[in-house]
Amino acid sequence: MKLMNIAAVASILVLLACAPWCAYSQERLLVRMTLVRNAPALGAFCLDGSLPAYHLHRGFGNGANNWILFFEGGGWCGHREQCLDRAKTSYGSTNHMNKWAIFSGILSNNASLNPDFYNWNRVRLRYCDGASFAGDGKFANGTSLLYFRGQKIWEAIILDLLPQGLANAHMALLAGCSAGGLATFLHCDNFTRMLPNASVNCLSDAGFILDERDVSLNHTVRSIFEDIVSLQGVEQNLDPKCTKSMNYPKLCFFPHYALKYITTPFFVLNSAYDVVQFHRFLVPPSADVEGKWKHCKHDPAACSADQIAILQGFRRDMLEALNFFLKDSHRGGTFINSCFAHCQSDAQESWFAVNSPRIHNKTIAEVVGDWYFTRREAKEIDCEYPCDTTCHNLMPVPQGTDCAKCGSVGNKTLTSKAGSHDRIWSKYSMILVVLLLPLCL
């Protein structure tokens, strides 16, 4: 009898665990890749010389003349060897990319999952240049050839979309995540100039990267960004208003320097403890050779008091860098939560779901909608860790390569929502789901 009860409970748990997966599999939207055939005329190529690409899902109803363009993320490369390696992957060549993309979160076409933008034309711009769509150069030594043409890729995609209805847009939103979120800062006002008759706004998700020293007091992220700007010819494409005001013009690749000069209404979506900045820039492997941060990186509950103090200092620096924007921007918006996360707008569970992260009981989707449509003020700042129990703490899985040198982003895995007890349930429920998931497909 006891064994039967255990089996019954296990079955119920499996069904409960499977239910969201079943629902998601029914709702997910797959969109086919479109290659930009006229790109060679502009000199627009991925790192390996392949054609750039995007995924377009058409809008409908009263959203048929509105557009979202979403920059894909995926790290950067600032050395020839890194870029040569990258050119052999999906981050440097459309030849290696999956030809279908899942549209979820802000790209979903389901009104119950994306209430404000579900029926807009939604475009995902594939990332294959390694410099946030901003480089303009080439490397050739007789045996190897690399195209640093992110700026040209951006222009080629826009030119491809204009005759497909983008030229007649009534409303438009330029958005992106991670390296794509950084690209939003770099191209926001340019996008506005391309659409003179549209109401244009911009949103950066996980792209507000700080010019911050690491825990060893070295300028790790600054060094990475300077290498990217130098190798890929980015400086010529940075905002001249910013570069003329700086003693070191290359620093205008950093969003918080560029943001001061952006005139288009802007929304900054970021975690105050962004895990990529935490793992790769604040505590890179080069600054933690003894592995004292290992456990803290995998579980914030395992951080020591001193480590938490450093992370709280990072949060304070982020808010200080945003201070002018919070005070002076009347059309600006923010959602700065205290989750250990990275990229929250294109993932359904963090964008708009029953258990999505919230600030003042508002989801990211609700605050972004309030900001875009000026329904109410939309500047939300979370309390500091660990007060927010709505977080999905997504921690990158360590990679074999030293990503402090390349700035690349690892995969993500859900470690916990609030406390360590969740990890026990997560471990065993996911084993059951993996074993019995075919039952709900």
Side-chain angles (χ1 to χ4, degrees):
M1 179 67 71
K2 182 177 181 180
L3 193 60
M4 290 178 64
N5 288 339
I6 292 173
V9 171
S11 299
I12 293 171
L13 292 176
V14 169
L15 289 173
L16 290 172
C18 275
W21 290 68
C22 298
Y24 178 74
S25 66
Q26 293 169 1
E27 297 291 349
R28 73 176 185 172
L29 172 65
L30 290 172
V31 181
R32 188 169 182 81
M33 176 189 286
T34 298
L35 293 174
V36 184
R37 299 292 180 184
N38 293 329
L42 288 177
F45 301 100
C46 296
L47 285 172
D48 70 333
S50 58
L51 295 176
Y54 60 85
H55 302 253
L56 165 63
H57 193 260
R58 287 289 185 181
F60 56 93
N62 62 8
N65 291 316
N66 302 330
W67 290 74
I68 291 180
L69 272 63
F70 190 92
F71 287 117
E72 191 175 63
W76 305 270
C77 64
H79 296 284
R80 286 193 295 270
E81 295 77 14
Q82 294 166 2
C83 293
L84 285 168
D85 289 341
R86 187 182 179 99
K88 301 170 187 175
T89 73
S90 60
Y91 291 111
S93 171
T94 50
N95 293 332
H96 297 289
M97 290 180 182
N98 191 322
K99 302 305 183 284
W100 295 85
I102 296 175
F103 275 33
S104 62
I106 197 171
L107 297 178
S108 172
N109 68 333
N110 187 320
S112 65
L113 303 177
N114 186 25
D116 284 310
F117 306 106
Y118 72 97
N119 62 350
W120 287 29
N121 297 283
R122 286 149 289 110
V123 187
R124 187 179 191 93
L125 283 65
R126 299 308 297 264
Y127 183 39
C128 64
D129 65 280
S132 290
F133 295 84
D136 193 358
K138 190 168 85 171
F139 166 75
N141 65 359
T143 57
S144 300
L145 177 62
L146 286 169
Y147 292 93
F148 303 130
R149 298 290 174 78
Q151 179 71 27
K152 298 293 186 184
I153 290 172
W154 158 245
E155 294 169 0
I157 291 176
I158 291 294
L159 288 176
D160 208 59
L161 292 172
L162 286 173
Q164 298 188 60
L166 180 60
N168 301 316
H170 294 168
M171 293 187 283
L173 175 62
L174 184 66
C177 153
S178 192
L182 192 153
T184 307
F185 288 97
L186 302 180
H187 294 296
C188 180
D189 280 348
N190 175 248
F191 186 55
T192 300
R193 288 190 292 270
M194 291 176 172
L195 301 178
N197 299 317
S199 172
V200 178
N201 288 17
C202 301
L203 179 153
S204 170
D205 177 8
F208 195 72
I209 297 168
L210 298 181
D211 181 18
E212 185 94 346
R213 291 179 184 267
D214 66 27
V215 292
S216 295
L217 302 182
N218 293 317
H219 279 295
T220 294
V221 65
R222 180 183 290 191
S223 177
I224 290 170
F225 277 16
E226 287 179 342
D227 288 341
I228 295 164
V229 172
S230 297
L231 177 69
Q232 298 219 27
V234 172
E235 187 174 334
Q236 61 188 309
N237 295 317
L238 299 176
D239 188 337
K241 297 190 296 294
C242 181
T243 56
K244 289 176 182 177
S245 71
M246 301 285 287
N247 291 328
Y248 300 100
K250 293 177 183 178
L251 294 182
C252 291
F253 195 63
F254 279 97
H256 60 98
Y257 299 128
L259 180 58
K260 297 176 183 178
Y261 302 96
I262 295 173
T263 57
T264 303
F266 208 98
F267 192 99
V268 179
L269 164 60
N270 232 90
S271 165
Y273 311 98
D274 181 274
V275 289
V276 168
Q277 295 193 64
F278 168 20
H279 289 206
R280 309 307 188 199
F281 305 146
L282 181 64
V283 192
S286 60
D288 186 34
V289 292
E290 296 180 3
K292 294 181 179 179
W293 285 81
K294 178 180 178 181
H295 298 297
C296 178
K297 283 185 172 183
H298 285 82
D299 182 359
C303 298
S304 69
D306 288 343
Q307 289 169 335
I308 288 294
I310 290 172
L311 292 171
Q312 302 297 22
F314 181 82
R315 173 182 178 271
R316 285 193 298 273
D317 289 346
M318 180 175 290
L319 296 181
E320 178 62 29
L322 278 169
N323 189 48
F324 77 93
F325 182 72
L326 292 167
K327 287 184 176 179
D328 301 335
S329 176
H330 300 296
R331 280 289 290 114
T334 56
F335 191 101
I336 309 297
N337 60 6
S338 294
C339 305
F340 286 79
H342 185 73
C343 290
Q344 302 178 85
S345 61
D346 63 342
Q348 195 60 55
E349 64 269 20
S350 49
W351 173 249
F352 190 70
V354 173
N355 63 340
S356 289
R358 284 169 164 76
I359 301 178
H360 299 136
N361 204 33
K362 296 178 183 177
T363 64
I364 296 170
E366 290 170 316
V367 177
V368 171
D370 287 345
W371 160 74
Y372 191 98
F373 296 102
T374 60
R375 291 191 289 246
R376 57 185 63 87
E377 188 177 49
K379 292 179 179 176
E380 298 291 348
I381 306 294
D382 209 351
C383 49
E384 66 180 26
Y385 174 83
C387 71
D388 190 339
T389 59
T390 69
C391 287
H392 294 278
N393 288 327
L394 299 171
M395 310 295 279
V397 177
Q399 296 181 333
T401 57
D402 182 0
C403 284
K405 296 179 181 177
C406 61
S408 65
V409 179
N411 295 324
K412 294 182 282 187
T413 182
L414 182 62
T415 58
S416 71
K417 177 154 182 170
S420 59
H421 64 279
D422 291 333
R423 292 193 296 277
I424 298 172
W425 154 247
S426 177
K427 176 180 178 182
Y428 293 105
S429 68
M430 289 309 297
I431 291 173
L432 290 170
V433 171
V434 169
L435 290 174
L436 297 175
L437 182 60
L439 295 177
C440 63
L441 296 179

